[in-house]
Amino acid sequence: MKNIFIISIIVFGLFAFKVPDSVMKRAGKEISKFYDIDNFSKEYIEFSAEINSETLSNFGEDNFFKIYSEGQFISYGYIGRAPSKTADFDYLVLFDSDFVITKSKVLVYREEYGGEIGSKRWLKQFVGKFSDSPELIAGKSIVPISGATISVKSMTNAINDLLKSIKVLQDCLLYTSPSPR
């Protein structure tokens, strides 16, 4: 019984994702800049473990949210983490009310090489994509970057997983938290 408990904690720990304050702060600056607003609030959206287990992306307690300004809904946001060659990088995806990607941004890149995936020009390839879009393929529908092959594939896979997960979650948005933070 004790072993099952320990395994449960380890498995939960692998899937739990708490956004670091520094990453959340960078995301906030990007949201303010993108929507040209000074003040906004986030309403965090949480899902049950059962629903979360059906998604490919990780939805923790603070990485998927609705964005409001002056009491008006603006968009949805998601902060994720994806692997690069030896470390992970954090990224932000903003969606409109229909879950169409309006912005993607690499917030923190922790590798010596491959940081080119953070360029606005390269990231624009994801804008307009939605849950029923054809699967994105690095090197085909997504332009490769010499010297950033692993990161290009990782970001492309992360976006594919997020879009598939959004499709699962679209019917589950009744599980929102009661008040913006």
Side-chain angles (χ1 to χ4, degrees):
M1 187 70 167
K2 182 178 178 183
N3 289 342
I4 292 172
F5 178 72
I6 291 171
I7 291 170
S8 297
I9 290 173
I10 291 170
V11 170
F12 181 75
L14 292 174
F15 293 106
F17 173 62
K18 176 98 171 98
V19 178
D21 290 340
S22 60
V23 173
M24 192 63 81
K25 187 174 182 178
R26 286 182 188 209
K29 287 181 182 179
E30 193 60 39
I31 291 166
S32 291
K33 183 176 156 185
F34 183 70
Y35 292 110
D36 194 25
I37 53 176
D38 291 325
N39 297 310
F40 67 91
S41 61
K42 293 181 285 213
E43 179 182 341
Y44 293 92
I45 304 170
E46 296 182 45
F47 298 95
S48 68
E50 180 182 341
I51 293 170
N52 226 336
S53 70
E54 295 176 25
T55 64
L56 297 169
S57 295
N58 179 13
F59 294 90
E61 66 182 51
D62 63 350
N63 70 328
F64 187 53
F65 45 88
K66 292 180 180 181
I67 302 167
Y68 293 89
S69 180
E70 298 180 13
Q72 297 294 314
F73 171 78
I74 295 176
S75 72
Y76 293 96
Y78 176 82
I79 298 173
R81 180 169 282 169
S84 51
K85 187 174 182 177
T86 61
D88 293 330
F89 60 90
D90 298 307
Y91 62 93
L92 169 70
V93 178
L94 299 176
F95 296 92
D96 68 12
S97 60
D98 295 321
F99 292 100
V100 176
I101 296 176
T102 57
K103 172 85 174 167
S104 59
K105 172 78 174 176
V106 174
L107 298 171
V108 178
Y109 193 81
R110 298 175 181 89
E111 292 279 353
E112 202 171 314
Y113 300 102
E116 298 87 352
I117 66 162
S119 79
K120 290 179 187 179
R121 184 175 174 195
W122 188 80
L123 289 167
K124 281 185 181 179
Q125 298 177 90
F126 300 113
V127 173
K129 305 301 184 203
F130 55 98
S131 61
D132 287 332
S133 292
E135 184 164 1
L136 304 168
I137 302 169
K140 294 192 180 196
S141 55
I142 298 297
V143 176
I145 300 173
S146 179
T149 305
I150 293 170
S151 297
V152 165
K153 287 180 181 177
S154 184
M155 184 66 174
T156 302
N157 290 339
I159 296 293
N160 278 327
D161 289 350
L162 179 58
L163 292 173
K164 290 173 187 171
S165 297
I166 291 296
K167 188 169 188 132
V168 171
L169 299 178
Q170 282 178 313
D171 294 332
C172 304
L173 288 177
L174 299 175
Y175 297 98
T176 60
S177 61
S179 61
R181 294 192 248 178

